[in-house]
Amino acid sequence: MKKILPSLLAADFSNLQKDIREMEDIGIDMFHLDVMDGHFVPNISFGFPVIESIRKTTNKTLDVHLMVANPDIYVEEFCNIGSDMVSFHIEATNHADRLIDVIKNKGKRAGIVLNPQTPISTIKHILHKVDYVLLMTVNPGFGGQKFIEGMLEKIEELDKIRKDKKYNFLIQVDGGINIVTSKLCRDRGADLIVCGSFLFNSSNKEKTLSQLLK
Ligand code: DX5
Ligand code: ZN
């Protein structure tokens, strides 16, 4: 089943509870949380305390996207504070296989993330054990950027490998998602569609949500 995951990066940080409730009311059951450290990406967002507070606010699925250098140091703690899904970038670690084990041993779903420039071949040998693959459709670090069209071919390539090898991972896309790009990605095999500014800036979020899945 295809899902839209609102990225809380585009929410009102002074009243996250209100924005989370509003999303729950229109049927959202998974939230995407972007952790940025100012090293791996040129921006800083939020970390442990904010996610702990969000965990107390909602029982929906929390999908934590780590845009941090050295995720090896942090993944376990992100599992401990109530994340349901944790993903990290292949570009940020030499020990992806081990990190996936850490996340799964904590009983969480493990995801691997690829920047637009990173080929799928870099994760070939861990694809059998990940729960999801996040293909960045913008260069990570900021909300509100333009979708990179070339990523459509990458989604197709990953979907083909999944079919050929009979793997079970889900394909997630993140960045520049609107009604048009959501459909282009879903048609090529994406299952989990992260959407930040387009959904939060919409004046009729319920209608926008249904359009994003049409
Ligand atoms: C970008 C983040 C995204 C971001 C998407 O680095 O990983 O999750 O919030 O925002 P939009 O949908 O506005 O491109
Ligand atoms: Zn993200």
Side-chain angles (χ1 to χ4, degrees):
M1 195 180 146
K2 312 263 179 188
K3 295 260 187 192
I4 302 295
L5 289 79
S7 167
L8 292 183
L9 195 61
D12 176 1
F13 284 178
S14 70
N15 203 343
L16 278 176
Q17 193 168 31
K18 175 177 160 285
D19 282 359
I20 289 170
R21 237 17 112 234
E22 188 179 9
M23 289 294 160
E24 288 176 344
D25 288 346
I26 62 170
I28 288 299
D29 60 6
M30 297 172 99
F31 289 98
H32 182 83
L33 309 182
D34 290 300
V35 177
M36 303 178 183
D37 68 348
H39 290 277
F40 183 72
V41 287
N43 196 8
I44 300 174
S45 59
F46 53 80
F48 300 121
V50 173
I51 295 178
E52 278 178 290
S53 297
I54 293 171
R55 178 72 292 168
K56 288 182 197 143
T57 295
T58 179
N59 55 19
K60 303 299 184 201
T61 299
L62 298 184
D63 167 40
V64 174
H65 172 194
L66 298 179
M67 282 161 275
V68 301
N70 253 323
D72 312 52
I73 307 173
Y74 306 108
V75 282
E76 192 166 349
E77 185 61 8
F78 278 106
C79 292
N80 290 340
I81 60 168
S83 315
D84 300 291
M85 304 164 63
V86 177
S87 67
F88 60 91
H89 279 253
I90 190 70
E91 304 89 359
T93 180
N94 290 316
H95 305 290
D97 181 86
R98 180 194 292 155
L99 280 192
I100 291 160
D101 288 343
V102 171
I103 297 167
K104 292 186 120 182
N105 288 337
K106 285 277 170 185
K108 315 295 184 181
R109 280 184 273 168
I112 189 76
V113 194
L114 268 61
N115 279 338
Q117 71 173 24
T118 307
I120 289 169
S121 57
T122 57
I123 55 167
K124 183 179 172 191
H125 300 290
I126 50 172
L127 277 177
H128 64 282
K129 64 192 292 182
V130 294
D131 295 301
Y132 60 110
V133 177
L134 168 46
L135 296 181
M136 290 307 302
T137 44
V138 296
N139 291 295
F142 304 93
Q145 301 182 85
K146 192 178 174 305
F147 183 88
I148 301 171
E149 297 283 335
M151 294 301 105
L152 293 173
E153 197 184 322
K154 199 171 179 185
I155 302 168
E156 267 172 351
E157 185 186 334
L158 185 60
D159 185 49
K160 185 174 183 315
I161 296 171
R162 175 166 65 171
K163 285 183 178 133
D164 289 349
K165 299 268 188 186
K166 298 192 170 50
Y167 289 150
N168 291 318
F169 61 79
L170 296 176
I171 300 176
Q172 186 176 51
V173 288
D174 182 11
I177 295 295
N178 55 37
I179 294 164
V180 174
T181 55
S182 170
K183 176 146 176 56
L184 290 171
C185 292
R186 283 179 290 119
D187 285 351
R188 283 159 180 82
D191 310 284
L192 304 174
I193 316 295
V194 176
C195 185
S197 43
F198 188 77
L199 183 55
F200 279 98
N201 292 341
S202 148
S203 53
N204 186 341
K205 298 188 176 51
E206 188 164 17
K207 185 172 167 211
T208 300
L209 179 64
S210 75
Q211 289 172 327
L212 283 165
L213 283 168
K214 239 185 216 152

